[in-house]
Amino acid sequence: MLVSLLELPSHETAAKYNVRATIMGARPTNGLLQEFAALIDSGKLQTHIGKVFPLEQARQAQELKRQGHTFGKIILQMAE
Protein backbone atom coordinates (compact mmCIF):
# COMPACT_ATOMS: atom_id res chain seq x y z
CA MET A 1 0.00 0.00 0.00
CA LEU A 2 1.26 3.47 -0.93
CA VAL A 3 0.27 6.02 1.73
CA SER A 4 0.88 9.77 1.81
CA LEU A 5 0.28 12.20 4.64
CA LEU A 6 0.40 15.28 2.39
CA GLU A 7 -1.45 14.59 -0.86
CA LEU A 8 -3.15 11.79 -2.70
CA PRO A 9 -0.42 9.51 -4.07
CA SER A 10 -0.25 8.74 -7.75
CA HIS A 11 -2.64 5.97 -8.71
CA GLU A 12 -0.45 5.32 -11.76
CA THR A 13 2.56 4.67 -9.55
CA ALA A 14 0.50 2.43 -7.28
CA ALA A 15 -0.75 0.45 -10.29
CA LYS A 16 2.82 0.07 -11.54
CA TYR A 17 3.73 -1.72 -8.28
CA ASN A 18 0.36 -3.46 -7.98
CA VAL A 19 -0.52 -1.73 -4.69
CA ARG A 20 -3.31 0.57 -3.50
CA ALA A 21 -2.80 4.32 -3.00
CA THR A 22 -4.42 6.43 -0.30
CA ILE A 23 -3.98 9.53 1.82
CA MET A 24 -3.98 9.39 5.60
CA GLY A 25 -4.10 12.08 8.25
CA ALA A 26 -3.25 11.64 11.90
CA ARG A 27 -2.22 13.64 14.92
CA PRO A 28 1.14 12.21 15.98
CA THR A 29 0.73 11.26 19.63
CA ASN A 30 3.46 9.59 21.65
CA GLY A 31 1.56 6.29 21.53
CA LEU A 32 1.08 6.46 17.77
CA LEU A 33 4.77 7.21 17.21
CA GLN A 34 5.69 4.24 19.42
CA GLU A 35 3.42 2.00 17.31
CA PHE A 36 5.07 3.25 14.12
CA ALA A 37 8.52 2.63 15.63
CA ALA A 38 7.52 -0.93 16.54
CA LEU A 39 6.24 -1.57 13.00
CA ILE A 40 9.46 -0.21 11.51
CA ASP A 41 11.62 -2.23 13.91
CA SER A 42 9.70 -5.40 13.06
CA GLY A 43 10.08 -4.80 9.31
CA LYS A 44 6.31 -4.59 8.78
CA LEU A 45 6.57 -0.91 7.80
CA GLN A 46 9.26 0.31 5.45
CA THR A 47 10.40 3.90 5.16
CA HIS A 48 12.30 5.62 2.40
CA ILE A 49 14.86 8.16 3.58
CA GLY A 50 16.04 10.52 0.88
CA LYS A 51 18.71 12.43 2.80
CA VAL A 52 19.81 13.05 6.38
CA PHE A 53 20.99 16.50 7.47
CA PRO A 54 22.43 17.58 10.81
CA LEU A 55 20.19 20.13 12.52
CA GLU A 56 22.70 22.87 11.70
CA GLN A 57 21.91 22.33 7.99
CA ALA A 58 18.14 22.78 8.35
CA ARG A 59 18.21 25.60 5.78
CA GLN A 60 19.77 23.29 3.16
CA ALA A 61 17.19 20.60 3.99
CA GLN A 62 14.35 23.09 3.49
CA GLU A 63 15.81 24.20 0.18
CA LEU A 64 16.02 20.59 -1.01
CA LYS A 65 12.37 20.13 -0.04
CA ARG A 66 11.38 23.28 -1.94
CA GLN A 67 13.09 21.97 -5.08
CA GLY A 68 10.75 18.99 -5.00
CA HIS A 69 13.22 16.52 -6.50
CA THR A 70 13.50 14.17 -3.55
CA PHE A 71 12.45 10.56 -3.15
CA GLY A 72 11.80 9.67 0.44
CA LYS A 73 11.84 11.70 3.60
CA ILE A 74 14.30 14.42 4.47
CA ILE A 75 15.54 13.85 8.02
CA LEU A 76 16.95 16.42 10.44
CA GLN A 77 19.20 14.63 12.90
CA MET A 78 18.88 16.21 16.33
CA ALA A 79 21.59 14.21 18.14
CA GLU A 80 23.85 11.20 17.67
Side-chain angles (χ1 to χ4, degrees):
M1 176 174 266
L2 180 60
V3 179
S4 174
L5 300 177
L6 302 176
E7 61 187 31
L8 185 62
S10 164
H11 287 288
E12 292 80 19
T13 302
K16 177 180 173 182
Y17 294 101
N18 198 29
V19 296
R20 292 183 291 143
T22 191
I23 187 168
M24 179 183 138
R27 295 189 186 271
T29 64
N30 188 27
L32 183 59
L33 293 174
Q34 287 179 354
E35 287 182 47
F36 278 133
L39 289 170
I40 290 168
D41 289 344
S42 71
K44 293 179 182 176
L45 178 64
Q46 296 178 353
T47 59
H48 296 281
I49 298 174
K51 185 149 175 113
V52 178
F53 289 91
L55 184 59
E56 296 80 23
Q57 293 180 3
R59 182 179 301 243
Q60 292 90 331
Q62 183 64 32
E63 184 57 35
L64 182 62
K65 172 69 174 150
R66 277 193 208 124
Q67 292 173 3
H69 299 291
T70 60
F71 176 76
K73 295 296 179 187
I74 298 171
I75 307 296
L76 287 177
Q77 187 172 17
M78 305 293 281
E80 292 285 327

